[in-house]
Amino acid sequence: DIQMTQSPSSLSASVGDRVTITCRASQGINNYLAWYQQKPGRVPKLLISAASTLQSGVPSRFSGSGSGTDFTLTISSLQSEDVATYYCQKYNSGPYTFGQGTKLEIK
Amino acid sequence: EVQLMESGGGLVQPGGSLRLSCAASGFTVSSKYMIWVRQAPGKGLEWVSVIYSGGSTYYADSVRGRFTISRDNSMNTMYLQMNSLRAEDTAVYYCARMGSAGPFDVWGRGTMVTVSS
């Protein structure tokens, strides 16, 4: 099975900072990569599909890139409401494995 | 409005059974790939099972042989029958829908399952 590895596992940054989270698949998954945001005590929310397609209503400061095995989620200017845990996920075929998550906090 | 609502969680003893339900509204469960995901307390998301629109199913290694996913088209509801429960199955269980683009675009609010004596 394909493993999904995120880094870092936690991150502290200041409001306005540019933040980058990486996700690596153990085998190529083309662009079948999604990013989810889970705020404390809330349900996960789909942010990005197909590695780089922003979902409707998601602020444009979020962006995704990558293909094959290496992917990134970037927040161009961190806001306080972005405090959450972010997960990548492969969805080309089962098992639909998630990364272990990156907990983002405000410094 | 497209919605999912889980029910059936609770406290169960190790070795026991529980059936979770996921009622859908605003779309037809039989036309989509439907998913169960779980999250142990303080831990990350773990994909559990899928039932494809054609009816075939697939399970994570951690639950294969113990959990069974199914759906009732007349009730527009998906189920997760959980047998031989273990302490490590303790988690919030979410149902979700795989959207036309692939990833999980609609999630329920989750139902808590606690396996403890």
Side-chain angles (χ1 to χ4, degrees), chain A residues 1 34 36 38 42-46 48-50 87 89 91 93-100, chain B residues 33 35 37 39 43-47 50 52 58 61 94 98 101-105 107-109:
Chain A
D1 293 344
Y36 299 86
Q38 187 178 31
R42 304 293 295 273
V43 176
K45 174 186 174 183
L46 177 63
I48 289 172
S49 63
Y87 297 91
Q89 183 210 23
Y91 61 91
S93 62
Y96 301 102
T97 309
F98 291 92
Q100 79 276 21
Chain B
Y33 297 178
I35 305 292
V37 174
Q39 187 169 35
K43 303 298 184 182
L45 301 172
E46 180 187 14
W47 171 79
V50 58
Y52 295 109
Y58 190 21
D61 289 346
Y94 296 101
M98 285 189 77
F104 304 170
D105 64 343
W107 294 66
R109 299 186 67 158

Side-chain angles (χ1 to χ4, degrees), chain A:
Chain A
D1 293 344
I2 297 174
Q3 305 304 312
M4 306 299 293
T5 304
Q6 286 181 236
S7 62
S9 56
S10 63
L11 175 58
S12 181
S14 299
V15 171
D17 282 354
R18 182 181 181 89
V19 170
T20 298
I21 298 169
T22 65
C23 177
R24 174 164 290 177
S26 59
Q27 297 175 41
I29 57 171
N30 292 314
N31 68 337
Y32 292 99
L33 190 283
W35 289 98
Y36 299 86
Q37 175 193 62
Q38 187 178 31
K39 295 184 177 182
R42 304 293 295 273
V43 176
K45 174 186 174 183
L46 177 63
L47 290 181
I48 289 172
S49 63
S52 61
T53 301
L54 210 62
Q55 298 304 289
S56 176
V58 175
S60 58
R61 63 181 179 272
F62 290 90
S63 64
S65 65
S67 185
T69 60
D70 294 305
F71 303 88
T72 61
L73 171 69
T74 300
I75 307 173
S76 60
S77 179
L78 184 65
Q79 303 300 303
S80 58
E81 60 264 33
D82 300 334
V83 168
T85 300
Y86 293 85
Y87 297 91
C88 64
Q89 183 210 23
K90 63 171 281 290
Y91 61 91
N92 56 323
S93 62
Y96 301 102
T97 309
F98 291 92
Q100 79 276 21
T102 296
K103 186 174 183 179
L104 177 57
E105 298 175 328
I106 299 294
K107 192 181 294 183

Side-chain angles (χ1 to χ4, degrees), chain B residues 90-110:
Chain B
T90 294
V92 174
Y93 284 73
Y94 296 101
C95 64
R97 180 186 85 167
M98 285 189 77
S100 55
F104 304 170
D105 64 343
V106 178
W107 294 66
R109 299 186 67 158

Side-chain angles (χ1 to χ4, degrees), chain B residues 48-72:
Chain B
V48 172
S49 184
V50 58
I51 183 165
Y52 295 109
S53 52
S56 58
T57 60
Y58 190 21
Y59 300 91
D61 289 346
S62 57
V63 306
R64 187 174 296 120
R66 300 187 298 123
F67 290 12
T68 302
I69 191 171
S70 64
R71 70 186 182 214
D72 183 332

